[in-house]
Amino acid sequence: MAITDLQSKDHRDLLDIIDQLRSQGFSRYVDLPEIIVCGDQSAGKSSVLEAISGMSFPTKDNLCTRFATELILRRHPTPSIKFSIMPGDDRYPDEKDFLSNWRPEVDLEGDGLEVVIEEAKTAMGLSTTKLFCNDILRVELSGPTQPHLTMVDLPGLFRAGNKEQSADNVELVRNMVTRYMNRPRSIILAVVSAKNEYVLQDVTVLAKQADPQGLRTMGLITKPDTLDSGSDSEKSWIQLALNKDVELSLGWHVLKNRSYEQRDFTSAQRDAAEEEFFSTGVWMSIDRSCCAVKSLKSRLSLVLKQQILDQLPSLVADVEHGIQECNAKLTRLGDARESPEQQLRYLTRVSQKFTTLITSAIEGRYSDGFFGDMKGFHGYEKRLRAVVQNRLEDFAIEMRERGQSLVITESEDDQTYGDRGISRSQYIGEVKEKMSLSRGCELPGLFNPGIVNDLFVEQCQPWRGIVANMAQDVLDSVHRTTKCIIQQAAADDAVDEILILLEARIEQCKASMDEKIVELLQPHYGLHAITYNHQLARNVQAAQRARNRAAIEKKIRETFGTRGFKDVDSKVNINPAQIMDLFLDEIEPDMGRFGCSIAVDYMQAYYEVALDRFIDDISVIAIEGCLIRRLPSLLTPNAVLELEPAEIKHLVGENDETALKRTKLIEKLKTLQKGLQDIKRFQRHRDATSATLQRTSQSSVLESHASEVTYPTPSTSVKDLETSDLREQGWEIPSSKRIYYA
């Protein structure tokens, strides 16, 4: 087989695989490489398609194409033509079946393509009220002179309405064209008419918006014969055709349409007239590869081929990503949930997942991917143990800092605590007034033990509010974590109902927790102070010792000077009698205040003991015991088995929307998987073809007896290589040969 034959077959296979994917609805999910033909109405799009295909297209470009038309051209010894409709994604299943099986009942030779299009419009349900649809008419045309080429023709852009097209449909057509243009793998063939100013044609604006850098746009100028010879307008269009005005990576092409007098010309006559036009006048300055239909066919064919080859790696990546995404969504939807058995199985799996994740969350085992990574706070709300631990630590700090109604200070001038601060001296005075109202049979200097409890109750009043806020925060965290887990474990349509069930059960835990909090608060608000902790006496003694030490230090400084106690001064004489007098001076002569001072010491000491015990009790007994540790039992598989079938159906029964979503996902997954297999099969075939080409090329070199062999230019810029270089690349070259590249 000749090299050109192999290349031609490879080219055809490449386009065929993309067309096959498109016919299977693949482009609904992944953008495919394609050439889209766009232009304003009366720009000559129909004449362009007719010139390329040799088939007569309707020349009245006024919305006779109210849908996209896919023109598939293939070179084949036997001419053939086939019409079909690819239904849009918005069609109902029965409509898809009808349109997929549609075939025109017309004689193409006698009636022409216009009749086929009219019949297609009828099949699609287009009328005066429904002017456009997302269906695609496929025209597959084969013949010995056809190029390997596929194009998508779009309705012509227009600005104003008439009796055949409403002004309301301007945006419909514009949106359709824009949607195709915005596909990143589309090659935009922008058809512009030389009869109108370039900047006034809508297609140029839309193409610039979709492809700002002009990387995937080819400009096609039609009707150049309508320009006055030598005019400024003709010169400006020449500059455009030379790619000197608006530069496009794919460049420009010029095509001469049939004139009215040439309307009955055959394709051969039309091509001959076009060649003659470009062989005279200023149009001779245009490179022959950039004008006339013959070179346009080859140019478009090669552009499309290269676009497909360039896009294949990213296309494969997109398909693989789409398959992963489908599998993930199907996993979330789970199996069908129509029968009671299916529903029970599904809810049991959800309960198992919930129990596993909530147990990990409260035990601080975050190895499951559900919990995310350790960087930043992403997923922090899922790590319930961390959230609760941090909140309880904040609770302990807040209790110690803000749990007292009054902060008793030694200094009269301490303003640190604002309205909550009170000096010890002032506080003792207030306590003395209260003690006078609760005196019993105690001797002067003693006090009724109940005063300690009364003072403590007043002092711990903020506890209730602090505990309530903390408990609500923890409860909110439980709800957030639970919601995250159910969203992970259950399908979207089942999440809300399962959460309602769980929230009701969490509320039962909350009621138990609230009851326990009240129970733990009650001894501090309603009973007399009770403790058998030896730390109470230590706290009292430590407080008194610190206060006495501070007072004695103050007296010594006032008596003996301001030197520090560590200073050594032999000139300072210490009189033991004076030291004794200092101690005696500290005796409180007011027995009432003396008793109040001791009562305050005991209240403060008891507060510290009770505070530490209360913080631990609330954290361990109420929060942990009544709420956190009960969470794994909220939705166990055993709990699911205790539910009635009606309850299970209410929780996870599948609605029509979910069933339809699963059906579409399965359809998409099958399409993507089949497409991926086809693409990879083509890649393997291409690799095998490349190997055949290399062997054939090597054989051609070996059979040559000339001292020089002309060979196609490689991708490298090197024009000649030593035979040793070629041998390193696997070529078997006689030592006397040298290879030159054209």
Side-chain angles (χ1 to χ4, degrees):
M1 183 179 290
I3 293 177
T4 54
D5 292 336
L6 285 171
Q7 291 173 330
S8 178
K9 185 178 186 305
D10 183 51
H11 190 169
R12 174 168 183 153
D13 290 343
L14 181 65
L15 269 63
D16 283 348
I17 191 66
I18 297 299
D19 291 339
Q20 182 180 353
L21 293 176
R22 189 180 290 107
S23 68
Q24 296 167 353
F26 194 86
S27 56
R28 288 178 296 178
Y29 314 121
V30 179
D31 291 332
L32 291 171
E34 59 188 358
I35 293 178
I36 58 171
V37 185
C38 318
D40 293 11
Q41 285 187 10
S42 302
K45 280 194 310 98
S46 298
S47 297
V48 171
L49 297 174
E50 181 178 330
I52 293 174
S53 66
M55 182 171 56
S56 178
F57 275 74
T59 55
K60 188 179 180 182
D61 198 4
N62 59 359
L63 294 189
C64 57
T65 51
R66 300 179 182 178
F67 41 80
T69 301
E70 186 177 339
L71 180 61
I72 302 169
L73 305 176
R74 295 293 183 270
R75 185 172 303 151
H76 194 274
T78 306
S80 67
I81 189 166
K82 177 183 176 183
F83 297 94
S84 60
I85 294 176
M86 188 165 68
D89 194 36
D90 54 348
R91 290 288 188 179
Y92 292 109
D94 56 339
E95 293 178 323
K96 288 184 178 181
D97 291 340
F98 171 75
L99 292 175
S100 297
N101 295 321
W102 172 86
R103 296 295 181 271
E105 298 178 356
V106 295
D107 178 10
L108 187 63
E109 294 294 331
D111 300 321
L113 182 60
E114 187 168 353
V115 177
V116 176
I117 290 178
E118 288 300 321
E119 186 173 329
K121 286 162 58 176
T122 301
M124 295 174 186
L126 297 178
S127 62
T128 55
T129 56
K130 182 182 179 181
L131 293 178
F132 298 95
C133 66
N134 292 320
D135 306 321
I136 299 175
L137 176 65
R138 290 170 57 89
V139 182
E140 302 174 56
L141 184 61
S142 299
T145 61
Q146 294 294 348
H148 292 317
L149 180 62
T150 300
M151 299 183 297
V152 179
D153 178 40
L154 300 177
L157 297 162
F158 65 98
R159 296 185 180 183
N162 55 32
K163 64 180 181 179
E164 296 183 10
Q165 57 191 32
S166 168
D168 296 336
N169 294 310
V170 171
E171 285 302 313
L172 286 175
V173 176
R174 194 179 187 91
N175 291 338
M176 178 188 292
V177 173
T178 300
R179 187 170 68 251
Y180 273 86
M181 282 185 171
N182 287 337
R183 295 174 180 175
R185 294 190 177 97
S186 293
I187 296 295
I188 302 171
L189 183 61
V191 181
V192 292
S193 170
K195 290 183 70 174
N196 302 316
E197 289 290 335
Y198 169 81
V199 294
L200 298 180
Q201 300 186 50
D202 288 346
V203 68
T204 62
V205 177
L206 298 184
K208 183 67 176 177
Q209 292 173 349
D211 181 27
Q213 296 179 313
L215 300 177
R216 54 186 181 88
T217 301
M218 177 186 289
L220 179 59
I221 302 170
T222 63
K223 306 180 183 180
D225 53 318
T226 62
L227 296 169
D228 293 331
S229 180
S231 66
D232 291 339
S233 180
E234 184 184 55
K235 293 176 182 177
S236 66
W237 282 102
I238 289 289
Q239 291 298 303
L240 198 66
L242 293 172
N243 207 25
K244 293 182 178 180
D245 186 354
V246 178
E247 295 186 14
L248 301 174
S249 295
L250 299 178
W252 289 80
H253 204 93
V254 190
L255 206 66
K256 178 189 174 297
N257 305 72
R258 282 192 178 108
S259 64
Y260 180 77
E261 293 77 12
Q262 299 170 345
R263 61 187 181 278
D264 296 325
F265 273 20
T266 64
S267 294
Q269 290 174 318
R270 179 237 170 257
D271 294 349
E274 183 181 50
E275 289 291 340
E276 181 181 356
F277 174 79
F278 287 117
S279 299
T280 59
V282 294
W283 296 102
M284 292 179 64
S285 62
I286 305 298
D287 191 286
R288 303 305 295 169
S289 64
C290 296
C291 60
V293 71
K294 182 178 180 180
S295 56
L296 178 62
K297 294 179 183 181
S298 300
R299 194 174 175 187
L300 290 177
S301 183
L302 291 175
V303 164
L304 180 58
K305 175 184 176 182
Q306 192 59 48
Q307 177 73 347
I308 296 173
L309 292 175
D310 291 344
Q311 293 294 325
L312 268 182
S314 65
L315 181 61
V316 170
D318 284 355
V319 175
E320 290 175 341
H321 175 73
I323 290 174
Q324 292 174 357
E325 191 177 60
C326 276
N327 283 324
K329 290 181 178 180
L330 284 170
T331 299
R332 282 192 47 74
L333 286 178
D335 298 330
R337 295 172 270 131
E338 297 178 0
S339 69
E341 294 78 10
Q342 291 173 332
Q343 293 163 3
L344 176 60
R345 255 195 321 269
Y346 181 79
L347 187 56
T348 301
R349 292 196 194 100
V350 172
S351 70
Q352 290 171 335
K353 186 70 171 177
F354 171 79
T355 303
T356 299
L357 290 178
I358 197 66
T359 301
S360 297
I362 66 174
E363 291 182 355
R365 294 183 283 105
Y366 308 130
S367 57
D368 193 287
F370 164 76
F371 296 104
D373 55 37
M374 298 298 292
K375 300 176 182 177
F377 285 91
H378 179 67
Y380 173 66
E381 71 277 5
K382 302 175 184 177
R383 302 175 185 180
L384 186 58
R385 175 54 60 193
V387 174
V388 173
Q389 291 284 80
N390 292 333
R391 185 60 185 91
L392 289 177
E393 283 187 0
D394 292 341
F395 163 67
I397 293 172
E398 187 177 7
M399 285 290 291
R400 292 189 174 93
E401 292 180 350
R402 305 189 62 81
Q404 308 171 63
S405 296
L406 294 174
V407 180
I408 303 170
T409 63
E410 295 295 331
S411 172
E412 298 282 348
D413 302 323
D414 193 340
Q415 302 296 322
T416 305
Y417 302 98
D419 294 340
R420 291 175 58 233
I422 186 172
S423 68
R424 180 180 176 80
S425 174
Q426 182 182 350
Y427 186 65
I428 288 175
E430 294 180 1
V431 171
K432 183 179 178 182
E433 293 180 6
K434 294 176 181 178
M435 283 181 62
S436 67
L437 301 177
S438 61
R439 291 189 65 177
C441 299
E442 65 272 10
L443 296 172
L446 300 179
F447 53 87
N448 187 334
I451 191 64
V452 174
N453 187 72
D454 292 342
L455 295 177
F456 171 77
V457 171
E458 290 181 355
Q459 192 71 323
C460 69
Q461 286 301 311
W463 288 12
R464 183 180 283 110
I466 295 174
V467 171
N469 290 337
M470 179 274 296
Q472 186 60 50
D473 289 346
V474 171
L475 188 68
D476 291 342
S477 299
V478 167
H479 281 298
R480 284 193 293 270
T481 302
T482 301
K483 182 177 181 180
C484 289
I485 292 175
I486 294 301
Q487 287 176 334
Q488 172 76 10
D492 293 341
D493 65 322
V495 166
D496 290 342
E497 294 301 330
I498 296 177
L499 280 178
I500 290 173
L501 173 67
L502 285 174
E503 286 168 358
R505 296 183 175 184
I506 291 173
E507 284 301 311
Q508 294 175 359
C509 296
K510 176 185 180 297
S512 175
M513 178 184 68
D514 291 343
E515 184 179 343
K516 184 60 64 175
I517 289 174
V518 171
E519 181 182 334
L520 293 173
L521 280 168
Q522 187 60 33
H524 305 293
Y525 287 156
L527 302 177
H528 64 277
I530 300 176
T531 184
Y532 302 100
N533 193 330
H534 291 246
Q535 191 63 38
L536 177 69
R538 295 193 188 98
N539 287 350
V540 171
Q541 293 171 10
Q544 292 175 347
R545 177 183 174 84
R547 190 167 58 254
N548 290 338
R549 179 181 177 84
I552 291 171
E553 286 180 358
K554 180 180 178 183
K555 286 289 185 179
I556 290 175
R557 283 193 174 90
E558 291 174 352
T559 304
F560 299 104
T562 59
R563 291 186 180 88
F565 289 96
K566 295 181 180 179
D567 294 344
V568 177
D569 191 342
S570 59
K571 296 180 180 180
V572 176
N573 295 318
I574 304 298
N575 186 336
Q578 287 180 297
I579 297 295
M580 185 65 69
D581 290 339
L582 290 177
F583 278 97
L584 295 175
D585 288 345
E586 289 303 311
I587 295 174
E588 174 61 64
D590 187 334
M591 296 301 290
R593 287 187 65 87
F594 175 76
C596 289
S597 178
I598 296 176
V600 171
D601 286 341
Y602 269 93
M603 182 276 290
Q604 289 183 294
Y606 179 73
Y607 180 90
E608 293 298 326
V609 172
L611 178 66
D612 290 340
R613 183 179 65 198
F614 180 72
I615 290 173
D616 287 345
D617 286 347
I618 288 293
S619 301
V620 176
I621 300 175
I623 301 300
E624 194 70 25
C626 296
L627 178 63
I628 302 301
R629 284 295 167 184
R630 296 186 182 183
L631 296 178
S633 64
L634 296 182
L635 191 65
T636 62
N638 287 336
V640 170
L641 292 175
E642 295 175 0
L643 296 173
E644 295 293 331
E647 292 180 277
I648 296 176
K649 180 179 180 181
H650 177 70
L651 289 173
V652 298
E654 193 166 74
N655 56 35
D656 294 340
E657 182 181 353
T658 301
L660 180 61
K661 184 184 296 184
R662 180 185 291 102
T663 300
K664 287 187 174 182
L665 281 172
I666 292 174
E667 178 185 350
K668 177 179 179 180
L669 181 62
K670 289 180 179 178
T671 301
L672 293 178
Q673 288 175 333
K674 175 67 166 55
L676 185 61
Q677 291 175 357
D678 292 342
I679 294 172
K680 290 189 173 181
R681 185 167 56 250
F682 167 77
Q683 288 179 317
R684 291 192 295 271
H685 166 72
R686 189 181 57 157
D687 292 341
T689 301
S690 298
T692 302
L693 282 170
Q694 185 176 10
R695 288 194 300 271
T696 305
S697 300
Q698 291 181 7
S699 177
S700 299
V701 172
L702 292 174
E703 291 173 0
S704 173
H705 296 284
S707 59
E708 295 181 354
V709 179
T710 301
Y711 202 71
T713 306
S715 57
T716 177
S717 60
V718 179
K719 290 299 181 182
D720 62 295
L721 296 172
E722 296 292 340
T723 55
S724 59
D725 299 327
L726 293 171
R727 291 193 190 95
E728 290 179 1
Q729 299 178 16
W731 293 76
E732 297 179 6
I733 308 297
S735 58
S736 61
K737 300 296 181 183
R738 181 178 178 85
I739 307 298
Y740 286 90
Y741 294 91

